[in-house]
Amino acid sequence: MANQYPGPPPEQPPGQPGQNPYATPPAGGPADAGGYGYPQGGRPGDPGYGYPQAGSQPPPGFPPPTAPPPGAGFQAGPQTGGMALSLGDIAVSGDTIMTPAGPMPLKGAIWTATDMSRTEEKIPTHAVVLAIVFFLFCLLGLLFLLMKERVTTGFVQITVNSGGRHHSTMVPVQSREQVMYVLNQVNYARSLSV
C-alpha cells in the first residue's frame, strides 16, 4: 500500500495520464467541457438541460407558444371564502366546482345523484344463539328470532355537467342515513347552481 490516493507519480510530468483528477485545472476553468456537472454547453451560463432559456427559439417544426385569447374557456374567478361542500372528489368553492377533470363553473351546473345502494334485513347471529340457549329453558327463547337488523351497502353515484365538462364519482354508504345525507348535499349543490 505504497500510495492509497490518486496522484501523479513523482516521475511523470503534469497533464499526462495518471494525473490527479482532483487537482485544479489550468486557467481556473472547468476540467472537461462535456464532463460531469456541466450539461450540454459545458460552461456556466450556457443553456443546459431543463426548461428553455429566455429568448430561445422553439425547435424546428413547432409553432412558437402563444397565450390563449381572453375569455377562451372557463376561467376560475377569485375564490371567496372556503370550500362550501365536498362530495367524493368533487368540491364546490366560491363560484367554481373543482374536480380531477378540471375546474367547472358553478352557475348552470347539472347535478345527478343515483342511489346504487341496497338494504338487507336479516336475523343477527347473536339472536340465533340466544334463541337456542333460551329454548332449552322455556319456549319464550323463540322470540329472539324476531330480532332483525338492517345492513346497507353500496354507493351513491354523483355526476356533474358544466362548462362543457363532465365528471362522475361514487360515494360509499353504510346506512340509509348516509344515503339521505349525500342526496341532501347534492340538493344543496343544485340550489347553489341556480
Side-chain angles (χ1 to χ4, degrees):
M1 294 193 107
N3 191 0
Q4 293 182 357
Y5 302 102
E11 67 276 346
Q12 196 169 20
Q16 298 295 321
Q19 184 178 359
N20 184 356
Y22 304 108
T24 306
D32 186 8
Y36 180 76
Y38 293 99
Q40 295 176 6
R43 304 251 186 260
D46 287 352
Y49 56 84
Y51 291 103
Q53 303 295 322
S56 64
Q57 297 297 322
F62 290 96
T66 59
F74 172 68
Q75 303 294 322
Q79 301 298 319
T80 57
M83 182 171 43
L85 78 124
S86 173
L87 297 163
D89 57 3
I90 300 172
V92 177
S93 175
D95 62 346
T96 306
I97 302 169
M98 297 303 295
T99 67
M104 302 179 196
L106 179 61
K107 184 133 177 91
I110 300 170
W111 295 85
T112 307
T114 306
D115 183 7
M116 303 175 104
S117 65
R118 68 171 196 243
T119 302
E120 297 175 343
E121 192 173 273
K122 65 178 188 171
I123 300 173
T125 307
H126 65 275
V128 174
V129 171
L130 289 173
I132 292 171
V133 169
F134 283 100
F135 177 73
L136 300 175
F137 297 112
C138 61
L139 294 175
L140 293 177
L142 295 176
L143 291 176
F144 284 109
L145 296 178
L146 295 176
M147 292 174 61
K148 305 282 187 202
E149 72 177 350
R150 291 191 173 113
V151 178
T152 301
T153 57
F155 298 89
V156 176
Q157 180 181 17
I158 301 168
T159 305
V160 61
N161 293 310
S162 181
R165 292 188 181 184
H166 165 86
H167 183 70
S168 180
T169 188
M170 305 281 269
V171 179
V173 290
Q174 286 85 28
S175 68
R176 295 307 305 165
E177 291 79 18
Q178 286 182 343
V179 172
M180 294 310 299
Y181 176 77
V182 171
L183 294 177
N184 286 337
Q185 290 287 86
V186 171
N187 285 334
Y188 178 63
R190 283 183 186 136
S191 70
L192 293 175
S193 298
V194 175

